[in-house]
Structures are given as structure tokens and as C-alpha cells.
Amino acid sequence: MEYIDNIPIYLQIKEILYHKIITHEYELGSQLPSVRQLAVLFSANSNTVQKSLKEMTEEKIIITQRGKGSFVTTDGDVIDRLRSQIVKNTLDETYDKLHALKMNDNEIIASFINYVKERTNYHE
């Protein structure tokens, strides 16, 4: 697994796990692989994986049951909020980058509409 140097690995692991949960690779209520299995999967230290899971537990994305492991929350609203937050963060970052290029809001909207049309046509 290749990581981005300037972003802590545990945050990158969280993002991967978020994606797997949001896309239902890990269903609501399902058990996650063990810390050791995740460490192997992500080519990371077990302590790094544990830090990711600890934060996700604090965020109520996963629930840890002593002696049984970690499970994805059964609360779909929590996952919907997570998805909305990820979308918002992505759009915030993109918006800021486009504004830095001196684009106004109308130019950004027009560019995004054109981008979506091109992507749609490309995938047809």
C-alpha cells in the first residue's frame, strides 16, 4: 500500500475504512477484520490501525465489543452524516482551489456542469 507522505497514515486508513463503509463493502452492523488483519491489509503497524479504529469509535462510526471485535454502526443516519461530511470537505477543497485560480462562482458552476457532462458522455 502506498501512502501520501504528508498525511498521517492513521488518517489515510480511516479514509479507506470510511469509503468501505459508505460503499457498503462493510455493511451496517458487520464485523470489521481484526486489528492484525487490517494491519496486514494496509501494510501498517497494529498501533496505527488501532489509532484509526479508536477515533472511528469516538465518532460512533464503529462500535467495539470487548472480546468480539469492532463492528460498523447499525445507525444509518451516522453513515449518512459521514458521507455528507466527506462530500462537503471534498467540495470545500475544490471550491477553495478554484477560487485561488481567480474563478468566480458562476465560472466554477459552469465548469462543474461541463465536467459532469463530459464525464457522463465518456462513460456512455
Coordinates of all heavy atoms in Angstrom, one line a residue, residues 5 22 30-31 36 38 55 57-58 112 117:
D5 N 2.9 11.0 1.8 CA 3.9 11.3 2.8 C 3.4 12.4 3.9 O 3.7 12.3 5.0 CB 5.2 11.8 2.2 CG 5.9 10.6 1.6 OD1 5.7 9.5 1.9 OD2 6.8 10.9 0.7
I22 N -19.1 3.4 3.6 CA -20.1 4.2 2.8 C -20.6 3.5 1.5 O -21.7 3.5 1.2 CB -19.5 5.6 2.4 CG1 -19.4 6.4 3.7 CG2 -20.4 6.3 1.4 CD1 -18.6 7.7 3.5
S30 N -21.9 -5.0 10.4 CA -21.0 -6.1 10.1 C -19.7 -5.9 10.9 O -19.3 -4.8 11.3 CB -20.7 -6.1 8.6 OG -19.9 -5.0 8.2
Q31 N -19.0 -7.1 11.1 CA -17.8 -7.1 11.9 C -16.6 -6.7 10.9 O -16.5 -7.2 9.8 CB -17.5 -8.4 12.5 CG -16.3 -8.5 13.4 CD -16.2 -9.7 14.2 OE1 -16.9 -10.7 13.9 NE2 -15.3 -9.8 15.1
R36 N -5.1 -7.0 13.6 CA -4.0 -7.6 13.0 C -4.2 -7.8 11.5 O -3.3 -7.6 10.7 CB -3.7 -9.0 13.7 CG -2.4 -9.6 13.2 CD -2.2 -10.9 14.0 NE -2.2 -10.5 15.4 CZ -1.9 -11.4 16.4 NH1 -1.6 -12.6 16.1 NH2 -2.0 -11.0 17.6
L38 N -6.3 -6.1 9.6 CA -6.2 -4.7 9.0 C -4.8 -4.2 8.8 O -4.5 -3.7 7.8 CB -7.1 -3.7 9.7 CG -8.6 -4.0 9.7 CD1 -9.3 -3.0 10.7 CD2 -9.1 -3.7 8.3
E55 N -10.4 6.4 16.9 CA -11.0 7.6 16.5 C -12.4 7.3 15.9 O -13.4 8.1 16.1 CB -10.2 8.4 15.5 CG -9.0 9.1 16.2 CD -8.4 10.2 15.4 OE1 -8.8 10.5 14.3 OE2 -7.3 10.7 15.8
T57 N -14.3 4.9 16.6 CA -15.2 4.6 17.7 C -15.7 5.8 18.4 O -16.9 6.0 18.7 CB -14.5 3.7 18.8 OG1 -14.0 2.5 18.1 CG2 -15.4 3.3 19.9
E58 N -14.8 6.8 18.6 CA -15.2 8.1 19.2 C -16.2 8.8 18.4 O -17.1 9.5 18.9 CB -14.0 8.9 19.5 CG -13.0 8.4 20.6 CD -11.7 9.0 20.6 OE1 -11.4 9.9 19.8 OE2 -10.9 8.7 21.5
F112 N -18.1 23.0 -13.5 CA -18.5 21.8 -12.9 C -19.6 21.1 -13.8 O -19.6 19.9 -14.0 CB -19.0 22.0 -11.5 CG -19.3 20.6 -10.8 CD1 -18.2 19.8 -10.4 CD2 -20.5 20.2 -10.6 CE1 -18.4 18.6 -9.8 CE2 -20.8 19.0 -9.9 CZ -19.7 18.2 -9.6
K117 N -21.0 16.7 -17.6 CA -21.5 16.4 -18.9 C -20.4 15.6 -19.7 O -20.7 14.5 -20.3 CB -21.9 17.6 -19.7 CG -23.2 18.2 -19.3 CD -23.4 19.5 -20.2 CE -24.7 20.1 -19.7 NZ -25.0 21.4 -20.4

